[in-house]
Amino acid sequence: MNILEINNLKKAFAEKEVLKGVDLTVSSNTIYGFVGKNGAGKTTTMKMILGLMKSDEGKIFVNGKEVKYGDNETNRYIGYLPDVPEFYNYMNAREYLKLCGEISKMKSDDIKKRTDELLEKVGLAGEKKKIKGYSRGMKQRLGVAAALFSRPKLLICDEPTSALDPIGRKELLEILLEAKKETTIIFSTHILSDVEKICDEMAFLNDGKIVLSGKISDIKNKNRKNRYIIDSDGHNDELIGVFEGLRKISDDELELIDVTKLSNILEYMSNNDIKPLKIERVEPSVEDLFVEVTKQ
């Protein structure tokens, strides 16, 4: 089942078209990377999914129900983690989650059970100090717990790792991977390495449109190029002089684009007692693909 469907979504601010007809489908229990440069329209899209901003055209469906501006009915299916979550800093984590449960009108026993479960999940089970003393990473982890408290069918994460240090990012990504067992996650970001680590599917937003989307493995397969890296054990200049299509990318490595020449190069190296230290087929990274499609 598709937990989120976006059809022909358009939005302009004055003369600037931010979204020019976005179509997006997200299936259940996946982590979906929503990728774009800063200012590409990712946050605008998130706000319209939440019913906080009116679209100029198009429709959005969450769990099969249409999202309507100003009507938060579909938000009962959604948890939301902004890039900088805000809290009541005079509370501790347990007190804050208790408040989340009370707002959701949960029973007290259920609130305690869910609080214990989530604090353990995000690594804050033994933390008793007030939220005002939390690091940025701790606040993001508490933000995930709060967003997951009512067991949403869709968790929207808007640039959640953008301000975290490497350790904080790693911890948060691990928490999101674990959270996928109970919900679907929209992971909006411009940090492409994070997408590659945890996402099942992704969409590239550029110039107001989705320019590439699908399963990451399928996208890589369709856009794979026959590119090889060769370490010729100190014979780079010799090989470049013999074969066209080779270029030096470091003191030790050559790049070959024309795969038809690979067998000839290997034969030459064998005949001239040149030992290849490395011959590696290079897989396209998410960053490579994004740079390529945004240049078109």
Side-chain angles (χ1 to χ4, degrees), residues 10-239:
K10 296 182 180 180
K11 183 66 180 178
F13 297 99
E15 301 299 318
K16 181 176 176 57
E17 285 186 282
V18 177
L19 301 177
K20 302 176 182 179
V22 170
D23 295 292
L24 195 66
T25 301
V26 179
S27 54
S28 298
N29 294 105
T30 58
I31 301 181
Y32 197 101
F34 192 43
V35 179
K37 301 175 184 177
N38 286 331
K42 301 188 299 299
T43 296
T44 297
T45 304
M46 301 299 104
K47 287 181 178 179
M48 286 192 276
I49 294 173
L50 292 164
L52 302 176
M53 182 180 291
K54 189 175 183 179
S55 65
D56 296 333
E57 192 174 326
K59 292 186 177 182
I60 303 171
F61 297 88
V62 175
N63 199 39
K65 298 185 182 296
E66 186 175 353
V67 176
K68 297 180 180 179
Y69 170 65
D71 183 348
N72 294 328
E73 182 183 356
T74 49
N75 282 357
R76 62 182 175 173
Y77 304 119
I78 301 174
Y80 178 57
L81 177 66
D83 57 342
V84 184
E86 296 291 339
F87 305 96
Y88 296 110
N89 286 329
Y90 59 86
M91 293 181 172
N92 60 32
R94 186 170 294 276
E95 290 168 340
Y96 186 79
L97 293 184
K98 181 174 181 288
L99 175 63
C100 292
E102 290 171 346
I103 290 173
S104 301
K105 298 182 180 179
M106 293 172 62
K107 296 179 180 179
S108 57
D109 288 347
D110 292 336
I111 291 174
K112 185 180 185 309
K113 183 178 179 181
R114 186 62 171 159
T115 297
D116 291 341
E117 176 187 336
L118 286 170
L119 289 179
E120 185 68 34
K121 186 188 293 283
V122 302
L124 294 174
E127 191 58 62
K128 296 181 179 180
K129 66 184 176 184
K130 302 298 184 184
I131 297 171
K132 66 180 179 181
Y134 281 16
S135 67
R136 192 70 171 268
M138 292 170 71
K139 288 183 177 180
Q140 288 293 67
R141 285 186 276 150
L142 179 57
V144 173
L148 289 173
F149 202 87
S150 60
R151 294 184 173 85
K153 293 181 178 295
L154 177 65
L155 173 62
I156 295 176
C157 300
D158 191 7
E159 303 278 3
T161 61
S162 60
L164 298 181
D165 60 31
I167 293 176
R169 281 174 56 198
K170 181 177 182 295
E171 291 174 344
L172 185 62
L173 294 178
E174 289 173 350
I175 290 169
L176 293 179
L177 274 173
E178 180 68 19
K180 186 180 77 166
K181 296 176 182 178
E182 62 177 277
T183 189
T184 302
I185 299 170
I186 296 285
F187 185 69
S188 171
T189 186
H190 65 275
I191 303 176
L192 302 177
S193 59
D194 289 349
V195 172
E196 199 145 18
K197 288 174 183 173
I198 69 168
C199 292
D200 306 294
E201 301 180 42
M202 64 180 175
F204 291 160
L205 181 64
N206 187 57
D207 193 29
K209 296 181 180 179
I210 301 295
V211 293
L212 194 64
S213 65
K215 292 183 178 179
I216 293 180
S217 57
D218 291 345
I219 290 174
K220 285 186 174 183
N221 286 333
K222 290 178 182 177
N223 292 273
R224 178 179 285 116
K225 295 182 178 179
N226 289 322
R227 176 171 165 252
Y228 286 81
I229 301 297
I230 300 172
D231 184 341
S232 62
D233 193 20
H235 294 267
N236 283 357
D237 292 337
E238 179 182 344
L239 291 178

